[in-house]
């Protein structure tokens, strides 16, 4: 039966690829359309497509005669053309764009200029507003945001080779409304992407374009090009055997990169928001992800020809795993990407939802996820003085005379953040799968810190109690499936998981 399913999936994938290859490519890419948002000044928005034959002239007119551009398609198949518009200031003024080549013409209406974001990943990015907390109110509120425009790439398409256009589009460019935001729990529109975009619209006061391209249960390898994969050693995770898919299996190297990312490469964007890594959680998955994830980000940047490619990702939320340790390791592995320029993180380490009606792995509080992503973007992309990263432990010193371990944190105090200690939350399940502060005793046993932490210096230091007779070697925090978060900033940003060696 397994072989039959695999053969059927392979045939379906080949049919999809063969069909796309046989199609005549359109004058205008199907990643573009009426109601879209194009990237505003100082960037040059780009339009692109294909002509029916070689070296044909394409004329682009923006808003009547406000701009007119001409391009000549390439002399070899598939006769690609592109036009970079002169920068257009972001505003609520809607434009019409006429594109002609010979007897072919396309008119794009109700086009705004603003900030464009691509949202990608697996099921926690796919999960829609209809599955989030307060879904009915949030969906109704979408009527107040017509300046946000939405586009959702369809699934069920994989490809062994790069595609020029999307084989499936689930949602054409649409004006935000209750209908375009609230179409089922796993359809459009992505909750994480929507709440992120809504925050950006509120703070920037410009139109926002959101492109959602995601597929639940997928590995990072599927979203990575062969060039990116070549940077890292094989991790034996080329196929996800824990998730059954109806139709084509997306967990193969580069097949989603080819089908769901490559058609977007010419698009001018402000940044990417990313929520993925659950599918890569395994006993050795974190060691591979340390290389795979940064390699993917760098490759996307190069392929999108972006000098200042901004990328914002979500650190995984709590859920239950079989081995109790791999998820904690993956959260640390994700932070390797923070070494790259223009990369920010929104942690969901404190957003566990043990009673989620869409599965514990899918917390419903996507509002906080979107808010934290927006804080990273506002700071790193737009230079706004807002904190976005929680406290990071940089040193631990044992003080046996007072029976405490003093932890020093890096805090974004320049934006007004201070340290706070909150009550330790209760574990909602198996205590072995929950953790707050722990220290490693001289006999290599991790001992939980039961007493409360205390703030010594609101800008950098806290103390946790310990038994000096244990002669601790290291201290760690939140290294479990279900972190018990108690250290925050005044901006409600939780301290990040860590393992730090103790200085005597």
């Amino acid at each position: 039966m397994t072989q039959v399913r695999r053969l059927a999936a392979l045939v379906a994938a080949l049919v999809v690829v063969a069909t796309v290859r046989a199609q005549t490519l359109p004058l205008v890419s199907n990643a573009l359309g009426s109601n879209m948002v194009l990237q505003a000044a100082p960037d040059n928005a780009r339009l692109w497509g294909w002509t029916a034959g070689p070296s044909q002239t394409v004329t682009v007119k923006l808003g009547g005669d406000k701009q007119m551009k001409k391009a000549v398609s390439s002399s070899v198949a598939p006769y690609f053309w592109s036009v970079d518009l002169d920068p257009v200031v972001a505003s609520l003024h809607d434009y019409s764009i006429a594109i002609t080549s010979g007897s072919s013409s396309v008119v794009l209406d109700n086009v705004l200029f603003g900030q464009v974001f691509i949202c990608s990943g697996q099921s926690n990015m796919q999960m829609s507003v209809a599955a989030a907390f307060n879904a009915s109110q949030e969906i109704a509120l979408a009527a107040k945001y017509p300046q946000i425009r939405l586009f959702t790439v369809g699934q069920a398409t994989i490809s062994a080779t790069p595609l020029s256009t999307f084989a499936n589009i689930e949602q054409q460019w649409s004006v935000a409304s209750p209908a375009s935001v609230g179409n089922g729990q796993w359809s459009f529109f992505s909750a994480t992407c929507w709440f992120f975009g809504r925050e950006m619209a509120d703070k920037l006061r410009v139109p926002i374009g959101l492109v959602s391209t995601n597929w639940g249960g997928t590995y990072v390898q599927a979203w990575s090009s062969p060039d990116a994969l070549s940077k890292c050693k094989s991790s034996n995770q080329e196929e996800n055997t824990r998730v059954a898919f109806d139709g084509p299996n997306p967990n193969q190297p580069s097949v989603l990169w080819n089908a769901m990312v490559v058609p977007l490469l010419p698009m001018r964007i402000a940044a990417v928001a990313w929520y993925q890594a659950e599918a890569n959680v395994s006993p050795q998955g974190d060691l591979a992800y340390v290389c795979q994830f940064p390699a993917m980000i760098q490759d996307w940047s190069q392929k999108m020809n972006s000098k200042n490619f901004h990328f914002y990702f979500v650190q995984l939320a709590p859920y239950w795993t079989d081995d109790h340790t791999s998820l904690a390791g993956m959260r640390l592995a994700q932070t390797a990407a923070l070494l790259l320029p223009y990369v920010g993180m929104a942690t969901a380490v404190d957003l566990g939802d043990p009673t989620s009606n869409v599965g514990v792995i899918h917390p419903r509080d996507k509002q906080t996820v979107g808010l934290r992503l927006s804080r990273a973007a506002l700071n790193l992309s737009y230079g706004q003085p807002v904190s976005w990263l929680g406290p990071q432990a940089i040193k631990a010193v044992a003080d046996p005379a007072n029976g405490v371990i003093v932890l020093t944190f890096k805090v974004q105090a320049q934006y007004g953040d201070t340290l706070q200690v909150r009550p330790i939350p209760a574990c909602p399940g198996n205590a072995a799968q929950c953790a707050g502060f722990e220290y490693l005793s001289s006999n290599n046993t991790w001992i939980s810190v039961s007493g409360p932490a205390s703030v010594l210096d609101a800008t950098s230091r806290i103390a946790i109690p310990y038994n000096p007779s244990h002669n601790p070697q290291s201290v760690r925090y939140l290294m479990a499936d279900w972190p018990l978060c108690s250290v925050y900033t005044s901006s409600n940003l939780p301290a990040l998981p860590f393992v730090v060696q103790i200085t005597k």
Side-chain angles (χ1 to χ4, degrees), residues 25-27 49-56 58 72-82:
L25 292 170
L27 176 61
W50 299 264
T51 59
S55 305
Q56 295 185 357
V58 179
V72 177
S73 62
S74 62
S75 60
V76 296
Y79 315 126
F80 177 79
W81 67 270
S82 68

mmCIF file of all heavy atoms in Angstrom, residues 25-27 49-56 58 72-82:
data_model
loop_
_atom_site.group_PDB
_atom_site.id
_atom_site.type_symbol
_atom_site.label_atom_id
_atom_site.label_comp_id
_atom_site.label_asym_id
_atom_site.label_seq_id
_atom_site.Cartn_x
_atom_site.Cartn_y
_atom_site.Cartn_z
ATOM 1 N N LEU A 25 3.274 30.624 -21.372
ATOM 2 C CA LEU A 25 3.414 31.529 -20.240
ATOM 3 C C LEU A 25 2.685 32.830 -20.520
ATOM 4 O O LEU A 25 2.658 33.311 -21.656
ATOM 5 C CB LEU A 25 4.897 31.783 -19.952
ATOM 6 C CG LEU A 25 5.658 30.565 -19.422
ATOM 7 C CD1 LEU A 25 7.158 30.832 -19.395
ATOM 8 C CD2 LEU A 25 5.167 30.178 -18.038
ATOM 9 N N PRO A 26 2.100 33.439 -19.489
ATOM 10 C CA PRO A 26 1.246 34.609 -19.701
ATOM 11 C C PRO A 26 2.042 35.894 -19.919
ATOM 12 O O PRO A 26 3.207 35.995 -19.523
ATOM 13 C CB PRO A 26 0.452 34.687 -18.395
ATOM 14 C CG PRO A 26 1.378 34.105 -17.366
ATOM 15 C CD PRO A 26 2.114 33.004 -18.077
ATOM 16 N N LEU A 27 1.387 36.868 -20.520
ATOM 17 C CA LEU A 27 2.011 38.180 -20.719
ATOM 18 C C LEU A 27 2.415 38.783 -19.378
ATOM 19 O O LEU A 27 3.467 39.417 -19.262
ATOM 20 C CB LEU A 27 1.042 39.113 -21.452
ATOM 21 C CG LEU A 27 1.522 40.556 -21.661
ATOM 22 C CD1 LEU A 27 2.794 40.596 -22.492
ATOM 23 C CD2 LEU A 27 0.418 41.397 -22.287
ATOM 24 N N GLY A 49 6.754 39.254 -16.975
ATOM 25 C CA GLY A 49 5.944 38.257 -17.657
ATOM 26 C C GLY A 49 6.687 37.702 -18.858
ATOM 27 O O GLY A 49 7.922 37.707 -18.897
ATOM 28 N N TRP A 50 5.931 37.280 -19.880
ATOM 29 C CA TRP A 50 6.526 36.611 -21.036
ATOM 30 C C TRP A 50 5.740 37.000 -22.298
ATOM 31 O O TRP A 50 4.518 37.189 -22.254
ATOM 32 C CB TRP A 50 6.485 35.086 -20.868
ATOM 33 C CG TRP A 50 7.254 34.638 -19.677
ATOM 34 C CD1 TRP A 50 8.531 34.202 -19.632
ATOM 35 C CD2 TRP A 50 6.800 34.610 -18.307
ATOM 36 N NE1 TRP A 50 8.912 33.904 -18.348
ATOM 37 C CE2 TRP A 50 7.861 34.138 -17.515
ATOM 38 C CE3 TRP A 50 5.587 34.943 -17.686
ATOM 39 C CZ2 TRP A 50 7.757 33.993 -16.134
ATOM 40 C CZ3 TRP A 50 5.486 34.804 -16.314
ATOM 41 C CH2 TRP A 50 6.565 34.324 -15.543
ATOM 42 N N THR A 51 6.425 37.108 -23.378
ATOM 43 C CA THR A 51 5.771 37.380 -24.650
ATOM 44 C C THR A 51 5.633 36.087 -25.447
ATOM 45 O O THR A 51 6.270 35.068 -25.136
ATOM 46 C CB THR A 51 6.543 38.415 -25.475
ATOM 47 O OG1 THR A 51 7.875 37.923 -25.715
ATOM 48 C CG2 THR A 51 6.602 39.753 -24.748
ATOM 49 N N ALA A 52 4.809 36.150 -26.473
ATOM 50 C CA ALA A 52 4.548 34.950 -27.276
ATOM 51 C C ALA A 52 5.729 34.573 -28.155
ATOM 52 O O ALA A 52 5.849 33.422 -28.598
ATOM 53 C CB ALA A 52 3.302 35.158 -28.129
ATOM 54 N N GLY A 53 6.590 35.535 -28.446
ATOM 55 C CA GLY A 53 7.735 35.265 -29.309
ATOM 56 C C GLY A 53 8.948 36.042 -28.852
ATOM 57 O O GLY A 53 8.902 36.815 -27.887
ATOM 58 N N PRO A 54 10.060 35.884 -29.539
ATOM 59 C CA PRO A 54 11.312 36.509 -29.116
ATOM 60 C C PRO A 54 11.372 38.002 -29.417
ATOM 61 O O PRO A 54 10.769 38.488 -30.373
ATOM 62 C CB PRO A 54 12.366 35.752 -29.929
ATOM 63 C CG PRO A 54 11.644 35.327 -31.170
ATOM 64 C CD PRO A 54 10.245 35.021 -30.729
ATOM 65 N N SER A 55 12.096 38.724 -28.562
ATOM 66 C CA SER A 55 12.455 40.133 -28.795
ATOM 67 C C SER A 55 11.262 41.006 -29.122
ATOM 68 O O SER A 55 11.299 41.868 -30.013
ATOM 69 C CB SER A 55 13.494 40.208 -29.931
ATOM 70 O OG SER A 55 14.616 39.398 -29.649
ATOM 71 N N GLN A 56 10.178 40.807 -28.395
ATOM 72 C CA GLN A 56 8.980 41.613 -28.614
ATOM 73 C C GLN A 56 8.922 42.769 -27.611
ATOM 74 O O GLN A 56 9.348 42.639 -26.461
ATOM 75 C CB GLN A 56 7.723 40.749 -28.496
ATOM 76 C CG GLN A 56 7.622 39.693 -29.584
ATOM 77 C CD GLN A 56 6.315 38.926 -29.542
ATOM 78 O OE1 GLN A 56 5.471 39.131 -28.674
ATOM 79 N NE2 GLN A 56 6.145 38.005 -30.489
ATOM 80 N N VAL A 58 7.309 45.351 -25.043
ATOM 81 C CA VAL A 58 6.241 45.405 -24.045
ATOM 82 C C VAL A 58 6.159 46.831 -23.529
ATOM 83 O O VAL A 58 7.177 47.433 -23.166
ATOM 84 C CB VAL A 58 6.507 44.444 -22.868
ATOM 85 C CG1 VAL A 58 5.393 44.538 -21.833
ATOM 86 C CG2 VAL A 58 6.663 43.014 -23.375
ATOM 87 N N VAL A 72 11.948 44.996 -23.876
ATOM 88 C CA VAL A 72 12.009 44.034 -24.973
ATOM 89 C C VAL A 72 12.259 42.662 -24.369
ATOM 90 O O VAL A 72 13.189 42.484 -23.563
ATOM 91 C CB VAL A 72 13.118 44.395 -25.981
ATOM 92 C CG1 VAL A 72 13.212 43.329 -27.066
ATOM 93 C CG2 VAL A 72 12.857 45.761 -26.596
ATOM 94 N N SER A 73 11.409 41.709 -24.718
ATOM 95 C CA SER A 73 11.560 40.366 -24.164
ATOM 96 C C SER A 73 12.823 39.706 -24.689
ATOM 97 O O SER A 73 13.401 40.118 -25.703
ATOM 98 C CB SER A 73 10.334 39.515 -24.497
ATOM 99 O OG SER A 73 10.198 39.371 -25.904
ATOM 100 N N SER A 74 13.253 38.685 -23.974
ATOM 101 C CA SER A 74 14.488 38.008 -24.349
ATOM 102 C C SER A 74 14.352 37.324 -25.710
ATOM 103 O O SER A 74 13.244 37.017 -26.165
ATOM 104 C CB SER A 74 14.868 36.980 -23.284
ATOM 105 O OG SER A 74 13.860 35.995 -23.171
ATOM 106 N N SER A 75 15.478 37.074 -26.342
ATOM 107 C CA SER A 75 15.485 36.492 -27.688
ATOM 108 C C SER A 75 15.403 34.981 -27.676
ATOM 109 O O SER A 75 15.283 34.349 -28.724
ATOM 110 C CB SER A 75 16.749 36.930 -28.432
ATOM 111 O OG SER A 75 17.907 36.493 -27.734
ATOM 112 N N VAL A 76 15.496 34.391 -26.471
ATOM 113 C CA VAL A 76 15.400 32.939 -26.357
ATOM 114 C C VAL A 76 14.234 32.589 -25.441
ATOM 115 O O VAL A 76 13.864 33.352 -24.544
ATOM 116 C CB VAL A 76 16.711 32.340 -25.805
ATOM 117 C CG1 VAL A 76 17.848 32.578 -26.782
ATOM 118 C CG2 VAL A 76 17.061 32.929 -24.443
ATOM 119 N N ALA A 77 13.635 31.448 -25.716
ATOM 120 C CA ALA A 77 12.505 30.995 -24.907
ATOM 121 C C ALA A 77 12.929 30.896 -23.440
ATOM 122 O O ALA A 77 14.068 30.545 -23.145
ATOM 123 C CB ALA A 77 12.014 29.651 -25.415
ATOM 124 N N PRO A 78 12.027 31.273 -22.512
ATOM 125 C CA PRO A 78 10.601 31.543 -22.705
ATOM 126 C C PRO A 78 10.248 33.017 -22.901
ATOM 127 O O PRO A 78 9.139 33.426 -22.558
ATOM 128 C CB PRO A 78 9.981 30.999 -21.426
ATOM 129 C CG PRO A 78 11.025 31.297 -20.377
ATOM 130 C CD PRO A 78 12.353 31.137 -21.068
ATOM 131 N N TYR A 79 11.146 33.845 -23.394
ATOM 132 C CA TYR A 79 10.871 35.224 -23.801
ATOM 133 C C TYR A 79 10.412 36.103 -22.626
ATOM 134 O O TYR A 79 9.385 36.774 -22.676
ATOM 135 C CB TYR A 79 9.832 35.254 -24.934
ATOM 136 C CG TYR A 79 10.101 34.237 -26.017
ATOM 137 C CD1 TYR A 79 9.118 33.321 -26.393
ATOM 138 C CD2 TYR A 79 11.346 34.159 -26.634
ATOM 139 C CE1 TYR A 79 9.370 32.365 -27.376
ATOM 140 C CE2 TYR A 79 11.607 33.203 -27.619
ATOM 141 C CZ TYR A 79 10.618 32.306 -27.978
ATOM 142 O OH TYR A 79 10.880 31.362 -28.943
ATOM 143 N N PHE A 80 11.221 36.067 -21.600
ATOM 144 C CA PHE A 80 10.932 36.812 -20.372
ATOM 145 C C PHE A 80 11.147 38.307 -20.573
ATOM 146 O O PHE A 80 12.055 38.743 -21.286
ATOM 147 C CB PHE A 80 11.864 36.313 -19.264
ATOM 148 C CG PHE A 80 11.730 37.029 -17.953
ATOM 149 C CD1 PHE A 80 10.695 36.730 -17.085
ATOM 150 C CD2 PHE A 80 12.655 38.006 -17.570
ATOM 151 C CE1 PHE A 80 10.588 37.379 -15.856
ATOM 152 C CE2 PHE A 80 12.544 38.654 -16.348
ATOM 153 C CZ PHE A 80 11.506 38.347 -15.498
ATOM 154 N N TRP A 81 10.302 39.111 -19.923
ATOM 155 C CA TRP A 81 10.492 40.560 -19.882
ATOM 156 C C TRP A 81 10.245 41.044 -18.451
ATOM 157 O O TRP A 81 9.540 40.393 -17.666
ATOM 158 C CB TRP A 81 9.540 41.293 -20.832
ATOM 159 C CG TRP A 81 8.084 41.193 -20.434
ATOM 160 C CD1 TRP A 81 7.181 40.240 -20.818
ATOM 161 C CD2 TRP A 81 7.385 42.059 -19.518
ATOM 162 N NE1 TRP A 81 5.962 40.448 -20.221
ATOM 163 C CE2 TRP A 81 6.051 41.571 -19.420
ATOM 164 C CE3 TRP A 81 7.743 43.201 -18.795
ATOM 165 C CZ2 TRP A 81 5.089 42.177 -18.623
ATOM 166 C CZ3 TRP A 81 6.778 43.806 -17.986
ATOM 167 C CH2 TRP A 81 5.469 43.300 -17.916
ATOM 168 N N SER A 82 10.818 42.172 -18.114
ATOM 169 C CA SER A 82 10.528 42.809 -16.828
ATOM 170 C C SER A 82 10.721 44.305 -16.954
ATOM 171 O O SER A 82 11.503 44.776 -17.782
ATOM 172 C CB SER A 82 11.425 42.254 -15.714
ATOM 173 O OG SER A 82 12.774 42.627 -15.916
#
